[in-house]
């Protein structure tokens, strides 16, 4: 079993990279990738721990992409096997990180004008090294007793249409795919069933366009993906020579139902051979 989709406290997860490695070993996973949102800050610690505990790791990240989609769908792009030291790649991630900080500062200002007394320095201290996001602000709202749960924080303050909502800066589809390619990585469409298409046929049209932009593959093993949808996705990928990946989208204790490796309710088993196919594609490209 392998797990190529998970988050650490460097984005919106709760485990440290070291804790992820230790848990993966305990669960008997053969390989993992850490796919934090818009950041690779956790990668050095992950690699050190993986070496110490003899676990196979692949570089990864998850980008939010600006795309017009039906039914409030969203497009996330996974990158794998890139060179984390690539200069332009690093610069763009720094830009995304700065944009996140600017946005969080705006959110704090909006909340303050709505009688929520949290401050920017307080949030910076709370978020520490991690790529700052709405979950950090939500956690602070809980700590300061403005709300009781993260859901309530989003419903009352942080979600679309609420007083603290500020949209996030995102790359467009082409820019996101190119960014990953320039650093030598593969661009994979994350959890395609969250893109808002109710039928596979709707997604298929979009996949054709993303394929033309250079998309390398799709995440076709994901807990809770409707089985028929997953089967169509896998056969589509096979026909087009796209690769398939899979993972749990583990976030630690903020999403306690999602277990590393096995997903929600244990319905996930990502085949081990996917990582060899990924590496084979990476070596052909290099
Ligand atoms: P951001 O990237 O700052 O816009 O924050 C998005 C993250 O917030 C997502 O990756 C989720 O982990 C989390 N999130 C979004 N909506 C909710 C919600 N309704 N309840 C709890 N967490 C949420
Ligand atoms: Fe997340
Ligand atoms: Fe995602
Ligand atoms: Zn994710």
């Amino acid at each position: 079993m392998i797990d190529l989709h998970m988050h650490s406290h460097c984005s919106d997860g709760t485990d440290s990279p070291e804790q992820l490695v230790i848990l993966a070993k305990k669960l008997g996973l053969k390989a993992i990738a850490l796919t934090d949102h818009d950041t690779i800050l956790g990668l050095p610690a992950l690699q050190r721990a993986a070496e110490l505990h003899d676990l196979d790791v692949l570089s990864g990240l998850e980008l939010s992409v600006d795309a017009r989609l039906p039914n409030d769908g969203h497009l996330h792009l996974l990158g794998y096997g890139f060179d984390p030291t690539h200069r332009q790649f690093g610069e763009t991630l720094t830009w995304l990180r700065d944009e996140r900080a600017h946005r969080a500062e705006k959110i704090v200002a909006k909340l303050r004008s709505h009688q929520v007394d949290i401050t920017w320095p307080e949030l910076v201290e709370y978020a520490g090294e991690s790529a700052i996001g709405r979950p950090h602000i939500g956690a602070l709202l809980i700590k300061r007793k403005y709300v009781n749960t993260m859901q309530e924080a989003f419903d009352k303050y942080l979600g679309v249409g609420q007083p603290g909502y500020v949209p996030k800066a995102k790359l467009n589809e082409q820019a996101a795919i190119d960014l990953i390619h320039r650093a030598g990585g593969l661009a994979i469409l994350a959890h395609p069933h969250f893109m808002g298409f109710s039928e596979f046929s709707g997604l298929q049209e979009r996949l054709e366009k993303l394929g033309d932009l250079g998309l390398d593959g799709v995440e076709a093993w994901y807990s809770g993906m409707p089985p028929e949808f997953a089967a169509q996705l896998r056969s589509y990928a096979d026909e087009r020579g796209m690769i398939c990946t899979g993972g749990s989208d583990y976030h630690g204790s903020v999403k306690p139902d999602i277990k590393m490796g096995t997903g929600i309710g244990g319905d996930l088993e990502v085949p081990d051979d996917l990582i060899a196919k990924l590496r084979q594609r990476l070596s052909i490209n290099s």
Side-chain angles (χ1 to χ4, degrees), residues 125-261:
E125 192 187 332
Y126 189 77
E129 276 289 281
S130 56
I132 205 161
R134 287 182 292 167
H136 297 103
I137 304 173
L140 197 54
L141 291 172
I142 295 171
K143 186 172 162 230
R144 298 284 307 278
K145 303 207 170 14
Y146 285 100
V147 291
N148 292 312
T149 63
M150 189 61 85
Q151 188 59 48
E152 195 185 344
F154 275 80
D155 290 346
K156 280 196 178 154
Y157 294 107
L158 303 172
V160 180
Q162 299 313 311
Y165 182 71
V166 179
K168 183 168 69 177
K170 294 172 188 166
L171 301 175
N172 68 28
E173 295 168 9
Q174 186 73 78
I177 291 171
D178 288 353
L179 176 71
I180 295 165
H181 281 172
R182 268 197 302 271
L186 296 174
I188 307 293
L189 185 64
H191 39 63
H193 57 308
F194 292 159
M195 288 169 75
F197 298 105
S198 44
E199 300 290 331
F200 185 78
S201 55
L203 174 66
Q204 187 163 338
E205 205 176 304
R206 195 57 172 248
L207 277 170
E208 302 287 337
K209 289 189 187 134
L210 287 164
D212 290 343
L213 299 180
L215 186 76
D216 299 293
V218 290
E219 188 174 47
W221 271 266
Y222 193 98
S223 191
M225 185 184 284
E228 197 182 331
F229 186 101
Q232 287 174 305
L233 187 60
R234 287 169 206 166
S235 74
Y236 176 89
D238 280 349
E239 279 166 28
R240 307 296 157 121
M242 284 187 165
I243 50 175
C244 289
T245 68
S248 64
D249 214 352
Y250 175 74
H251 278 69
S253 61
V254 281
K255 296 186 182 178
D257 297 347
I258 304 176
K259 307 296 178 205
M260 187 192 287

Side-chain angles (χ1 to χ4, degrees), residues 7 12 37 251 255:
H7 299 266
D12 60 347
H37 298 283
H251 278 69
K255 296 186 182 178

Side-chain angles (χ1 to χ4, degrees), residues 75-141:
L75 200 169
H76 287 176
L77 194 68
L78 294 159
Y80 291 114
F82 47 78
D83 169 11
T85 67
H86 187 273
R87 190 177 57 86
Q88 198 183 352
F89 182 70
E91 284 170 3
T92 305
L93 293 187
T94 302
W95 176 77
L96 283 171
R97 185 183 164 78
D98 291 348
E99 286 295 318
R100 272 183 173 275
H102 290 148
R103 170 199 187 217
E105 206 171 352
K106 281 186 204 156
I107 294 176
V108 169
K110 285 186 97 173
L111 291 175
R112 289 185 65 78
S113 74
H114 281 82
Q115 284 73 49
V116 175
D117 184 28
I118 61 171
T119 65
W120 174 238
E122 185 184 13
L123 178 62
V124 168
E125 192 187 332
Y126 189 77
E129 276 289 281
S130 56
I132 205 161
R134 287 182 292 167
H136 297 103
I137 304 173
L140 197 54
L141 291 172

